[in-house]
Amino acid sequence: MEEQRLQIKPEEIKIEIIDGNHEVDLFQSYEKELVDFLREDALENQKQRLSVTFLWFYDGKLVSYISLLNDKINLEGDLKEFFREKGIHYKSLPALKIGRLCVDDRFLRRGFGKLMVLTAIRIAQEISKSRSGCRFVTLDTKRNQDPEKDPLLFYQKMGFQVLQEKKKRPTPMYLDVQLIEGA
């Protein structure tokens, strides 16, 4: 019988921007590439202003992280027509990209991933209201043969749509933050 896992409450999470004082070596994930990014590249990318990595702590333990950066969506096909009908004739539109998102294996299925995505959406909405144009949240998701571990399904449940289907490469996805209630 599988152990009952308690869902976390947002107020129990502490979020910090990565710096040289954070210990990340104990972070574990079946996605080795995401662990390597956190340990080897996240801080350097931040120093170079390429992305910002937010570390999520629960009960004093590093349980997940998300890296955000700027992006754009090139308008093509149906998406281009959709925006033209709304009087928007640009070739691309601004976005906030989830560059990396990972939950430590010991804390999977407790709601951290969903909360991180909702936080990215909220940040995009805040940017677009008071700082700079930001119409979308984007990401490139890798596919997994195991439906329990396929992030594409997770993101689709959260409202993301496939921008362009790719079988072997990461699949680009987007969410129009203006269509979310309260945006």
Side-chain angles (χ1 to χ4, degrees), residues 14 55-64 106-107 112:
K14 182 178 179 186
L55 304 177
W56 287 49
F57 295 89
Y58 176 73
D59 198 23
K61 298 177 186 88
L62 175 60
V63 296
S64 59
R106 297 165 291 188
F107 297 91
F112 290 107

Side-chain angles (χ1 to χ4, degrees), residues 24 45 55 57 70 98 121 130 147 149 162 179:
V24 297
N45 280 7
L55 304 177
F57 295 89
N70 293 325
I98 298 173
I121 293 167
S130 63
K149 294 181 179 178
V162 172
L179 298 180

Side-chain angles (χ1 to χ4, degrees), residues 24-84:
V24 297
D25 289 340
L26 298 177
F27 191 84
Q28 300 174 21
S29 174
Y30 65 92
E31 292 283 357
K32 184 182 179 327
E33 182 183 315
L34 293 174
V35 174
D36 290 347
F37 171 80
L38 178 63
R39 292 179 183 169
E40 300 167 11
D41 300 322
L43 184 57
E44 187 59 31
N45 280 7
Q46 191 156 292
K47 287 178 183 176
Q48 294 182 20
R49 296 183 182 196
L50 301 175
S51 63
V52 175
T53 298
F54 298 89
L55 304 177
W56 287 49
F57 295 89
Y58 176 73
D59 198 23
K61 298 177 186 88
L62 175 60
V63 296
S64 59
Y65 76 88
I66 184 170
S67 292
L68 301 176
L69 60 144
N70 293 325
D71 197 12
K72 68 177 181 176
I73 288 186
N74 292 320
L75 298 179
E76 300 170 352
D78 291 342
L79 204 54
K80 182 177 183 178
E81 287 306 312
F82 174 81
F83 282 102
R84 283 193 184 247

Side-chain angles (χ1 to χ4, degrees), residues 8 23 32 75 77 106 108 122 127 142-143 145 152:
I8 48 90
E23 178 56 51
K32 184 182 179 327
L75 298 179
R106 297 165 291 188
L108 292 171
R122 190 182 77 244
I127 290 169
K142 292 187 176 181
R143 302 304 307 268
Q145 298 298 326
L152 182 90

Side-chain angles (χ1 to χ4, degrees), residues 119-137:
T119 298
I121 293 167
R122 190 182 77 244
I123 290 170
Q125 291 170 328
E126 289 171 5
I127 290 169
S128 68
K129 287 180 182 177
S130 63
R131 303 280 185 216
S132 178
C134 186
R135 181 67 187 248
F136 300 99
V137 174

